[in-house]
Amino acid sequence: MADAHDLPWQEIDTVLLDMDGTLLDLHFDARFWKEHFPRRYRELSGLSEHEAGARLMARFEGLRGQLAWYCLDDWHRALAPDCRNGLDLVELKRELAHHIGYREGVPEFLDALAGAGKHRVLVTNAHPASVDLKFEHVDLKARLDRIFNAHHIGAAKEAAVFWDRLAERLAFDPDRTLLVDDNLVALDAARDFGIRHLRAISRPDSRGEPMETAPFVALDDFLAAVRTLTDE
């Protein structure tokens, strides 16, 4: 089976990179959405554990893969009326912000891409306020050449229109582009658009269980990827 070392770096000019679960450890987001936010929402709303859980689950399941799923403004509009003293999701995230961090080898990988003359482009579904919070805790912004947010583009990466609109804003050759993302649906959409080089992440949460990435090959060892870049 092919692996990350098979990437023909000499045929890649642009590297599109997801943020959460790809460059940054998904442990922060997983813990926030699965544990911290449900608990704080129950406390702030005064709802029973069953009722609060049912309301959150309905949103999780009903919006998955849509831009609204990632939109803190939409979450606020839907849930703040339940909370007597309001609901500030960014501040709730700050309560857990000490868990924000890079996946192993990512800073070295991003620096190696720059050294090899590759164009480093962030493509993220994360809400802009979430992105800003992450940038307060890691120096990721300084290691990127361009940043494109699905909320500014108006569609999630899972949608074909995201890639059409990205191509209107960013000059890149899909045949000479690599996308690394832990979102398999987004990888499917990028493949349909014509992006040639695609890599998944099998363990986006360093403390979680690995996930099946087929038919996409996983790039999990960023330090190994650095070696292949510097060897060329």
Side-chain angles (χ1 to χ4, degrees):
M1 176 181 287
D3 61 27
H5 299 174
D6 293 323
L7 280 167
W9 289 110
Q10 72 281 4
E11 299 176 13
I12 296 171
D13 300 323
T14 302
V15 182
L16 304 178
L17 298 153
D18 172 55
M19 185 174 70
D20 300 321
T22 298
L23 299 180
L24 303 186
D25 195 329
L26 196 64
H27 176 66
F28 165 80
D29 298 275
R31 184 164 179 176
F32 177 80
W33 289 108
K34 293 179 181 179
E35 300 174 14
H36 189 71
F37 179 60
R39 176 176 59 79
R40 296 291 282 120
Y41 173 60
R42 289 196 303 271
E43 293 171 354
L44 293 167
S45 67
L47 295 171
S48 68
E49 182 173 354
H50 174 76
E51 186 173 3
R55 293 192 187 190
L56 293 180
M57 186 58 64
R59 283 191 61 81
F60 284 136
E61 295 302 323
L63 298 176
R64 192 175 301 278
Q66 300 178 40
L67 191 59
W69 198 101
Y70 304 97
C71 184
L72 299 186
D73 299 326
D74 280 6
W75 280 92
H76 180 270
R77 280 191 291 269
L79 301 178
D82 297 335
C83 303
R84 185 175 301 118
N85 295 316
L87 181 69
D88 188 330
L89 277 83
V90 175
E91 288 306 309
L92 294 183
K93 286 192 171 202
R94 286 188 188 281
E95 295 174 358
L96 213 62
H98 55 283
H99 288 291
I100 295 171
Y102 284 115
R103 297 185 72 249
E104 183 178 4
V106 164
E108 295 88 346
F109 176 65
L110 292 173
D111 290 348
L113 288 176
K118 311 303 181 187
H119 196 204
R120 304 162 301 174
V121 181
L122 187 73
V123 287
T124 179
N125 281 337
H127 188 273
S130 265
V131 175
D132 289 343
L133 177 63
K134 304 289 176 65
F135 285 173
E136 291 176 15
H137 292 270
V138 292
D139 60 352
L140 178 57
K141 187 175 183 179
R143 299 179 188 271
L144 299 166
D145 299 304
R146 298 287 300 276
I147 298 170
F148 290 92
N149 193 298
H151 296 266
H152 297 148
I153 286 180
K157 289 183 294 179
E158 292 90 329
V161 68
F162 172 91
W163 302 99
D164 293 333
R165 292 176 182 173
L166 179 67
E168 295 171 355
R169 294 163 169 78
L170 176 69
F172 69 100
D173 179 353
D175 198 52
R176 296 186 60 84
T177 296
L178 164 67
L179 169 65
V180 186
D181 203 311
D182 68 314
N183 185 327
L184 302 187
V185 181
L187 287 167
D188 271 328
R191 179 181 57 189
D192 291 343
F193 174 77
I195 292 177
R196 178 181 175 191
H197 306 286
L198 302 161
R199 289 293 184 269
I201 301 292
S202 66
R203 195 188 291 267
D205 178 351
S206 64
R207 305 186 196 184
E209 293 298 317
M211 68 178 192
E212 176 58 58
T213 66
F216 302 105
V217 176
L219 192 166
D220 280 314
D221 190 340
F222 284 100
L223 292 177
V226 168
R227 290 191 290 272
T228 66
L229 263 167
T230 55
D231 286 346
E232 292 199 356

